[in-house]
Amino acid sequence: MAHGTVEFFNPTCPITVGADWDFQTCGPKQTAENYVNELGQHGDELRHATHGKKTSWTWTFVNNLDSGTISIPKGGLVSAGWHVDSIQISWGRDQIKPKMVVSAHKHEDGTNHAANSCRTYTATVEIDAVAFGVPADLGAVALASGAAVDFRSATYTLQVNHIDEPGRDGTQLAGENHDGTETFSVEFTGDATADDYELDSDWTNDQKTTTPSNTAATTTSLNLIHHIANDADIAAASASSSS
């Protein structure tokens, strides 16, 4: 009989990310199945079955660069059997380095995702490392020269829409990605106007919120979004245009 163990200080991470990210901790490892049943004449269960067993997990990393450009994993990447569903990177004015949370899943029955089996999506932003806090240029948005306000915090997210298809027996058959999306949530200290920041033309500002306070500084937040094509289609388009 195999019993469990009492463990301390032992988070683990099976996936590989950039060398500029130090693994910090992991979230709960959650395994779930789909429950289906049939009810009888009087509304009570006759029989049931489970299928589609899947495990989801998250890992947190801290960047270790003082200079240079931080690396961002590809959305849809498969590493050690884990499909990367989303990457979230956050900065704060009281935070030494950016933190990254990677969310992923794998299938426990049927055909799990293999390396290079799904379309991947590459971040379009290039963001420099800083010694402390929030960079003045976040790629999608930057502080304008002479800005009266300053960055307070920022969160970048890269995610893919992932489709899983079961086979005839209810177990995993195949999966694929579409419509990669980048978003940025940026907060300023102060009442920011369009003259205080420069927005990349490929990004859409779909929401701006200004929040006054009777006990603190007014803050302004922007929600930015950018849809991106998959790497294979971008490479094909580039090859076609150069031929």
Side-chain angles (χ1 to χ4, degrees):
M1 181 180 294
H3 294 283
T5 59
V6 178
E7 295 183 341
F8 295 89
F9 322 123
N10 192 33
T12 58
C13 179
I15 69 170
T16 300
V17 298
D20 56 318
W21 293 99
D22 294 328
F23 174 57
Q24 185 176 55
T25 191
C26 59
K29 186 178 182 181
Q30 299 177 325
T31 300
E33 296 179 273
N34 298 313
Y35 183 97
V36 293
N37 67 352
E38 296 290 348
L39 303 182
Q41 176 184 1
H42 302 293
D44 297 326
E45 184 178 81
L46 286 174
R47 60 186 57 86
H48 71 269
T50 58
H51 71 99
K53 189 175 183 180
K54 183 173 76 172
T55 299
S56 301
W57 210 355
T58 63
W59 305 275
T60 301
F61 305 83
V62 180
N63 198 261
N64 56 39
L65 293 181
D66 287 328
S67 61
T69 303
I70 68 170
S71 66
I72 302 175
K74 292 177 180 288
L77 171 74
V78 177
S79 178
W82 291 89
H83 177 278
V84 174
D85 303 319
S86 68
I87 299 105
Q88 186 176 85
I89 303 174
S90 60
W91 296 258
R93 60 181 184 172
D94 57 354
Q95 191 173 309
I96 303 174
K97 300 293 182 186
K99 289 193 175 186
M100 177 173 69
V101 177
V102 177
S103 301
H105 77 272
K106 72 173 182 176
H107 299 275
E108 305 291 352
D109 59 18
T111 304
N112 188 34
H113 303 297
N116 304 316
S117 63
C118 295
R119 296 191 292 189
T120 57
Y121 293 77
T122 299
T124 64
V125 291
E126 292 187 356
I127 306 171
D128 289 336
V130 291
F132 193 98
V134 187
D137 188 345
L138 291 164
V141 60
L143 289 173
S145 176
V149 302
D150 205 355
F151 283 139
R152 192 179 186 94
S153 65
T155 301
Y156 167 85
T157 303
L158 170 61
Q159 61 186 23
V160 298
N161 287 293
H162 182 74
I163 305 299
D164 281 319
E165 291 288 350
R168 56 184 172 79
D169 59 356
T171 63
Q172 173 71 5
L173 176 65
E176 189 54 286
N177 302 316
H178 71 101
D179 191 23
T181 307
E182 298 175 292
T183 59
F184 240 121
S185 176
V186 182
E187 188 179 32
F188 299 87
T189 299
D191 185 357
T193 71
D195 291 332
D196 288 312
Y197 55 86
E198 298 173 352
L199 182 64
D200 187 291
S201 59
D202 288 335
W203 288 71
T204 300
N205 177 14
D206 62 357
Q207 182 175 307
K208 177 182 177 182
T209 305
T210 303
T211 307
S213 172
N214 67 332
T215 59
T218 295
T219 61
T220 304
S221 62
L222 302 179
N223 286 336
L224 312 175
I225 188 168
H226 180 220
H227 290 265
I228 53 177
N230 68 80
D231 294 334
D233 284 354
I234 291 175
S238 177
S240 176
S241 64
S242 62
S243 61

